Amino acid sequence: MSHREIRELMDIAIDGKLSDLQTLRLDHLLSSNAEARQYYLEEIVLISDLERRGYSATRSVPVFVPLNSNKLAWGIAIGASLCAILLVAAWPNTPVSPKNILQSASIAPIVRIVGGTNSSFEGLQPAGRVLNVGRYRMTHGAISVSFRSGASLDIDGPAEFEIKNDMLIELDLGNIRVHVSESAKGFLVVVPGMEVRDLGTEFGVSVEANKSSQVHVFLGSVELLRKGNQPEILDEGNAVSLQGNGLLPMDEIDDEKFSTRSSIGLKSWEESRVRWRNDPSAIVYFDFDRNEFNPATVLNIAGSSRRSLSDGVIHGPIHVSGRWPEKSALLFDKGDDHVRLDIPGEFESFTLSAWMCETRRTELSHAILMTTGDEPGEHHWQILRNGSMRSGVQLVYGVSSPVDVVKVGVWQHLAAVVDRSSGTSTYFVNGQIVATKSFSTELPLVFGPCTLGAWYSKNSDSCSRRFRGRIDELAVFSRALSTDEIMSMFQDGSGFGSDFQSEDR
């Protein structure tokens, strides 16, 4: 059965142009193929959910009942879908093309991986960063996932689980922490001998190899459902253990037993840091960990450059917590705060990468990484007061992104890729291209003495264009990283909390 075929038939049905022959074909698919019925129902449920949220069609979404089906369960399922759609019809409507709604539904994955460590699966594998319906066995690692319904799960390996739909997961082994948004209220976790239903909460569920299980409620409450027993409510701050048929209260909840998106994200970043710092083209890599031997310097830990490049020298900024409480960053907050470094040599191409969080804007422009001079071929990288990224190579080109791509008060990943051989420069925010510029020059690309967080001109005794905020990580590569690599760097470093707004949220 082709999902593409049934999706095309559903498009035609919504447009009201289904022919007799096409009706018979859709009838045959739905009455004879369980996979087709499951796919159809998932799409109808999603469309009704989009309607409930205010993205409703200009005319009602049809529910197609097979002409020749005599399967009671299938008829009941279709009836339930129809009821759901009729119920949401009372919600306020915002006209949107029905075909666009269905197309959006058909490409929206049920579960998307939004962060994780070096995980490994046996059997069914993730489709890139997507988990489809099915049973998975994760042998090691940890992942954070986001369900289409709005539920978010942090899963520790080893784990065995089956994704049923965007409101239901079965857990046979491992630990998961569940965060449920209002749109996913009622999310269900099934473990051997029990169902755990969300009532608006954050909770942890674990299953051991002997099939005993535990439930720990961190916020809100859950409903525990067991065959032959009355439903039980487990409130915030309480935990129970299911041993055989007995449900036993535990002395206290164990928050440390379950990973969080933040802890998974930190471990993932620590793994990726090793890869990026040891990239053969890495010439500068500052992670801004405190240098206990010389607090006034920032260690350049690029694997290829320890003998050829000096470390950064701190002039004013202080160490504070970065994207994670356990990780350090530099705070640029007063006077002429900046870091001096030297990047010698000439480049055919280069890539710059930085994680930063601006707290306020006090000048017309704010330096990220600037050369101390204005020599031909030198690259300047800065942020304008209106939130535009402004960059360029002296006497070659200048380029600005649209306004407000760089936000105040949130962590963002900024990157610049400049390649003289192809004559292209590309600038990114959170893995997305925000500006490009074609150029041609015989001038070599150079840096030399530079300042981070301010522009300290060699022709002046003071700084200008002062950055105000935190810088968590800085890297310079002597090659043009690909768009996929830039996205990977962003994803590797973005898992620092459930409140982070990425493109998956």
Side-chain angles (χ1 to χ4, degrees):
M1 191 277 297
S2 169
H3 285 180
R4 178 178 178 181
E5 181 183 9
I6 194 171
R7 184 169 66 245
E8 289 175 350
L9 289 171
M10 290 172 72
D11 281 349
I12 297 170
I14 284 181
D15 287 337
K17 300 178 181 178
L18 205 63
S19 68
D20 291 342
L21 185 61
Q22 289 167 330
T23 300
L24 289 174
R25 176 57 179 165
L26 185 56
D27 171 39
H28 173 73
L29 287 173
L30 296 179
S31 61
S32 64
N33 191 297
E35 185 182 0
R37 292 194 294 273
Q38 176 67 26
Y39 178 81
Y40 179 82
L41 283 174
E42 287 176 359
E43 297 308 295
I44 291 296
V45 169
L46 178 61
I47 292 171
S48 68
D49 182 63
L50 290 173
E51 290 188 329
R52 178 177 62 79
R53 299 182 190 208
Y55 298 95
S56 59
T58 55
R59 53 185 184 273
S60 60
V61 180
V63 176
F64 182 84
V65 181
L67 302 173
N68 303 317
S69 174
N70 58 4
K71 297 182 179 179
L72 178 61
W74 173 229
I76 293 173
I78 284 291
S81 297
L82 178 57
C83 289
I85 293 173
L86 291 175
L87 284 172
V88 301
W91 284 70
N93 292 337
T94 302
V96 175
S97 164
K99 188 170 184 178
N100 289 343
I101 291 177
L102 188 53
Q103 288 174 340
S104 297
S106 65
I107 64 175
I110 289 181
V111 182
R112 188 183 296 276
I113 300 174
V114 296
T117 62
N118 188 22
S119 56
S120 178
F121 289 79
E122 287 185 356
L124 184 61
Q125 300 290 312
R129 296 181 69 85
V130 169
L131 297 177
N132 294 306
V133 170
R135 183 172 294 277
Y136 294 87
R137 185 178 181 213
M138 187 168 71
T139 56
H140 67 271
I143 57 173
S144 294
V145 301
S146 177
F147 277 67
R148 185 172 60 190
S149 60
S152 298
L153 275 64
D154 305 309
I155 307 173
D156 285 310
E160 296 180 14
F161 57 92
E162 182 174 358
I163 296 172
K164 293 287 192 177
N165 53 53
D166 58 2
M167 289 291 289
L168 173 60
I169 185 172
E170 289 188 2
L171 179 67
D172 294 319
L173 178 69
N175 300 338
I176 63 173
R177 182 187 288 261
V178 184
H179 316 254
V180 182
S181 66
E182 185 63 28
S183 65
K185 192 172 181 178
F187 188 87
L188 194 66
V189 179
V190 178
V191 300
M194 183 169 62
E195 297 180 355
V196 184
R197 186 182 302 278
D198 157 72
L199 297 177
T201 187
E202 176 184 346
F203 61 98
V205 180
S206 69
V207 178
E208 304 296 334
N210 64 3
K211 301 307 177 183
S212 65
S213 58
Q214 296 179 7
V215 181
H216 300 246
V217 182
F218 308 119
L219 293 171
S221 58
V222 298
E223 185 178 36
L224 306 178
L225 307 169
R226 292 183 295 147
K227 188 175 182 179
N229 293 271
Q230 290 295 320
E232 298 181 50
I233 304 298
L234 188 65
D235 291 320
E236 179 178 326
N238 293 288
V240 295
S241 174
L242 179 63
Q243 306 283 343
N245 294 322
L247 197 59
L248 305 175
M250 301 180 66
D251 292 336
E252 59 183 4
I253 61 173
D254 186 359
D255 188 70
E256 299 299 321
K257 183 180 179 72
F258 304 92
S259 293
T260 64
R261 169 143 190 220
S262 181
S263 65
I264 292 173
L266 176 59
K267 187 172 182 180
S268 175
W269 172 78
E270 288 173 340
E271 292 174 353
S272 72
R273 172 178 57 176
V274 175
R275 180 174 77 255
W276 291 116
R277 65 171 286 192
N278 290 324
D279 187 291
S281 68
I283 55 176
V284 174
Y285 195 102
F286 292 162
D287 63 4
F288 295 112
D289 276 353
R290 290 175 174 84
N291 182 357
E292 302 298 338
F293 298 101
N294 187 353
T297 64
V298 179
L299 286 176
N300 175 25
I301 62 172
S304 62
S305 305
R306 286 299 298 140
R307 291 187 296 272
S308 60
L309 274 178
S310 63
D311 300 325
V313 180
I314 299 174
H315 292 264
I318 61 174
H319 282 94
V320 295
S321 61
R323 286 168 286 167
W324 295 272
E326 304 89 344
K327 188 188 180 310
S328 179
L330 280 185
L331 174 64
F332 300 74
D333 193 55
K334 62 184 187 305
D336 290 343
D337 283 0
H338 66 281
V339 174
R340 298 187 189 184
L341 65 154
D342 189 34
I343 308 175
E346 298 181 352
F347 302 92
E348 186 68 17
S349 60
F350 63 80
T351 298
L352 309 176
S353 167
W355 276 95
M356 56 182 54
C357 176
E358 273 195 295
T359 55
R360 64 187 189 278
R361 292 177 180 145
T362 58
E363 303 186 33
L364 291 177
S365 58
H366 305 83
I368 306 174
L369 181 68
M370 306 280 285
T371 65
T372 60
D374 282 314
E375 300 300 322
E378 292 183 344
H379 186 268
H380 289 193
W381 195 24
Q382 56 196 323
I383 303 164
L384 302 184
R385 180 179 286 172
N386 62 9
S388 170
M389 187 193 304
R390 174 66 181 173
S391 306
V393 174
Q394 188 69 11
L395 297 186
V396 178
Y397 76 86
V399 62
S400 296
S401 75
V403 301
D404 203 35
V405 299
V406 183
K407 309 295 184 181
V408 172
V410 296
W411 283 105
Q412 292 183 287
H413 179 251
L414 278 61
V417 178
V418 180
D419 188 355
R420 189 175 68 166
S421 61
S422 65
T424 58
S425 62
T426 312
Y427 296 85
F428 302 79
V429 174
N430 289 349
Q432 303 296 320
I433 296 174
V434 297
T436 60
K437 186 74 172 182
S438 298
F439 68 94
S440 177
T441 183
E442 298 298 321
L443 292 171
L445 303 175
V446 294
F447 290 93
C450 298
T451 49
L452 177 67
W455 184 35
Y456 189 90
S457 172
K458 64 182 180 181
N459 299 319
S460 173
D461 293 330
S462 63
C463 291
S464 62
R465 307 183 189 182
R466 302 166 185 85
F467 174 86
R468 291 294 182 252
R470 304 184 188 203
I471 300 180
D472 192 327
E473 190 176 357
L474 174 75
V476 181
F477 301 89
S478 60
R479 66 180 177 93
L481 269 63
S482 68
T483 300
D484 287 344
E485 286 178 306
I486 296 297
M487 176 58 75
S488 178
M489 292 189 77
F490 161 63
Q491 292 171 338
D492 288 344
S494 65
F496 45 82
S498 59
D499 60 341
F500 179 70
Q501 300 298 309
S502 74
E503 74 282 3
D504 299 324
R505 294 279 177 161

